[in-house]
Amino acid sequence: MKQTRAFLFASILCLLSLAAKAQDRSIVPLADPFILLDGDTYYAYGTHDANGIEVWTSTDLLGWRKLDALALHKDNCTEVQWFWAPEVYHRNGKYYMYFSANEHLYVATADSPKGPFKQVGGRMMENMLGDEKCIDSSVFFDEDRGKTYCFFVRFTDGNCIWMCELDDDLVTPKPETLRRCFAVSQSWENLMGRVNEGPFIWKHNSIYYLTYSGNDYRSQDYAVGYAMTRSLSTIGGATPSWQKYAGNPIVRRVEDLVGTGHHSLFTDKEGRLRIVFHAHHSETVVQPRRMYIGTMEFSGNRLQLTDDPIIRPTTPGRAGIDPVVEPSALRPRESFDLLGRSWAESHCFTPLLSVRDGRKYLSR
């Protein structure tokens, strides 16, 4: 009897450890994430839903809720698959979503950050690139110069980053401003595949920082680096000169996370510079990738990730592991036998542990 109790106690401790590990995993299954702060609410968009672009909301970056309706549904787009890497901006009284669908770039607008977003025009790059495929559009509004730029990925040298200026409608590219930024050139970028992708621009002290991801997203060494230039001008045929940071990558294998990349930057309510990125589901499973949030800072002109703990999104109001609950607190239809299925790799909720009739159970 004592041996049985000892075994049961040890099993419970093991399960609690597993539950803690599951809780440490973000509940937000968004790849290529983007966060918009609008009013008092953070809105997160990303790659995940086969039918379009979903949206999650938070007031503190820790607790997140998924909205029932998609921000962009495929019924409001001419494409029907591969909805990737959205960004949303509030301009001119409207919300603009820039996204990839079926490996082409599109723009959609809405009156609310929640949507519904509806496609505007056809393929964004058609007047400049025809039917050529491209992905990962990222828009930068250079307020100081009154210009808007789009950075995106073409498959011209592996995955390669390009840029162009947009017209005043924030949709139409100016063909004469098309410029190649850069392709793979540093050793850390081609450990798997030949990939520079996921561009995002930030301006600091009159320097433009083009942050990007290197390696195939399936690599555990998928990571973030950056390049700098002092001018985005294409006037008179000029081409911006980008210099990659010698200390790249700046975000790789953070804490216990792997595959840390395809990010965006934003300023939180307290004025801190944040990075939102995705990581692999676990150390052994890539999908679904999950959203995490870190803190960035400039040290002189060097952009770097701080030592602050990574924010691991959870359910609103929860900031830790739920205690062991009495069996009577479980509703039978919500409980399931831990020994009968692998919950750790297939569920996105904080598990509750209990013991009933000598068996161990987890529930929502």
Side-chain angles (χ1 to χ4, degrees):
M1 186 65 177
K2 288 183 179 179
Q3 288 182 336
T4 300
R5 289 179 178 175
F7 174 77
L8 182 58
F9 181 70
S11 298
I12 291 174
L13 290 179
C14 179
L15 289 171
L16 283 173
S17 176
L18 288 173
K21 186 174 181 180
Q23 173 61 23
D24 284 341
R25 184 178 300 140
S26 167
I27 68 161
V28 181
L30 294 181
D32 317 326
F34 177 89
I35 290 180
L36 168 72
L37 174 58
D38 190 65
D40 194 48
T41 302
Y42 297 100
Y43 296 86
Y45 311 84
T47 302
H48 180 240
D49 198 294
N51 293 312
I53 303 296
E54 62 193 63
V55 56
W56 294 65
T57 63
S58 174
T59 58
D60 60 6
L61 295 180
L62 178 60
W64 290 85
R65 285 190 176 91
K66 180 185 175 184
L67 300 189
D68 292 335
L70 292 175
L72 171 76
H73 193 279
K74 64 183 181 182
D75 289 347
N76 291 321
C77 179
T78 54
E79 301 288 1
V80 296
Q81 65 178 355
W82 300 346
F83 296 91
W84 299 341
E87 293 186 357
V88 175
Y89 298 95
H90 191 199
R91 310 290 294 189
N92 305 326
K94 291 184 179 181
Y95 294 87
Y96 289 76
M97 177 183 285
Y98 300 86
F99 64 100
S100 306
N102 196 27
E103 296 186 328
H104 289 286
L105 302 182
Y106 290 92
V107 184
T109 60
D111 295 325
S112 165
K114 300 177 183 179
F117 284 86
K118 297 183 179 180
Q119 181 180 316
V120 176
R123 294 173 179 169
M124 186 179 181
M125 297 296 169
E126 189 168 15
N127 74 322
M128 188 166 62
L129 300 178
D131 292 333
E132 180 185 326
K133 290 182 176 293
C134 44
I135 60 173
D136 293 356
S137 53
S138 182
V139 173
F140 174 66
F141 302 93
D142 194 348
E143 307 288 2
D144 298 330
R145 303 187 180 280
K147 294 183 179 295
T148 304
Y149 298 90
C150 182
F151 293 81
F152 60 101
V153 172
R154 298 173 70 185
F155 308 122
T156 53
D157 183 7
N159 286 20
C160 179
I161 298 175
W162 289 68
M163 64 174 284
C164 67
E165 188 179 334
L166 297 183
D167 212 334
D168 292 339
D169 62 3
L170 309 183
V171 175
T172 307
K174 297 181 178 181
E176 70 277 10
T177 66
L178 179 65
R179 298 289 187 276
R180 180 182 183 273
C181 297
F182 50 76
V184 169
S185 61
Q186 294 182 325
S187 59
W188 69 274
E189 300 169 342
N190 61 355
L191 298 177
M192 180 187 289
R194 184 173 174 79
V195 177
N196 277 176
E197 64 181 14
F200 193 87
I201 284 278
W202 196 263
K203 190 175 184 179
H204 174 73
N205 286 347
S206 299
I207 297 175
Y208 300 91
Y209 292 76
L210 176 46
T211 57
Y212 65 97
S213 294
N215 286 310
D216 190 292
Y217 77 90
R218 291 165 293 188
S219 169
Q220 291 193 345
D221 287 305
Y222 192 58
V224 176
Y226 70 86
M228 300 176 290
T229 188
R230 290 192 175 274
S231 175
L232 297 181
S233 176
T234 58
I235 296 176
T239 297
S241 177
W242 296 96
Q243 180 179 356
K244 289 184 177 179
Y245 173 50
N248 284 336
I250 60 170
V251 179
R252 177 171 63 177
R253 293 181 178 260
V254 182
E255 295 180 358
D256 61 337
L257 305 174
V258 297
T260 51
H262 204 130
H263 65 292
S264 58
L265 302 173
F266 66 99
T267 303
D268 69 13
K269 295 177 184 180
E270 288 72 40
R272 289 171 295 192
L273 179 59
R274 297 287 196 173
I275 182 170
V276 57
F277 59 92
H278 73 236
H280 291 177
H281 180 74
S282 70
E283 293 182 354
T284 56
V285 178
V286 174
Q287 304 285 11
R289 291 164 286 171
R290 298 185 179 276
M291 183 182 87
Y292 297 89
I293 302 166
T295 306
M296 304 294 287
E297 67 180 5
F298 286 94
S299 177
N301 288 329
R302 186 175 71 249
L303 178 62
Q304 60 191 23
L305 184 69
T306 72
D307 292 331
D308 293 349
I310 297 299
I311 295 176
R312 299 169 182 246
T314 184
T315 305
R318 288 185 177 178
I321 301 303
D322 289 309
V324 176
V325 297
E326 294 298 325
S328 60
L330 287 174
R331 287 176 287 181
R333 69 183 182 85
E334 288 191 344
S335 63
F336 57 92
D337 184 1
L338 173 65
L339 302 179
R341 63 193 296 186
S342 177
W343 57 270
E345 295 297 330
S346 59
H347 292 82
C348 304
F349 56 83
T350 304
L352 301 178
L353 173 68
S354 69
V355 178
R356 183 173 68 229
D357 299 328
R359 306 181 75 185
K360 295 171 284 295
Y361 288 81
L362 297 177
S363 73
R364 290 181 185 270

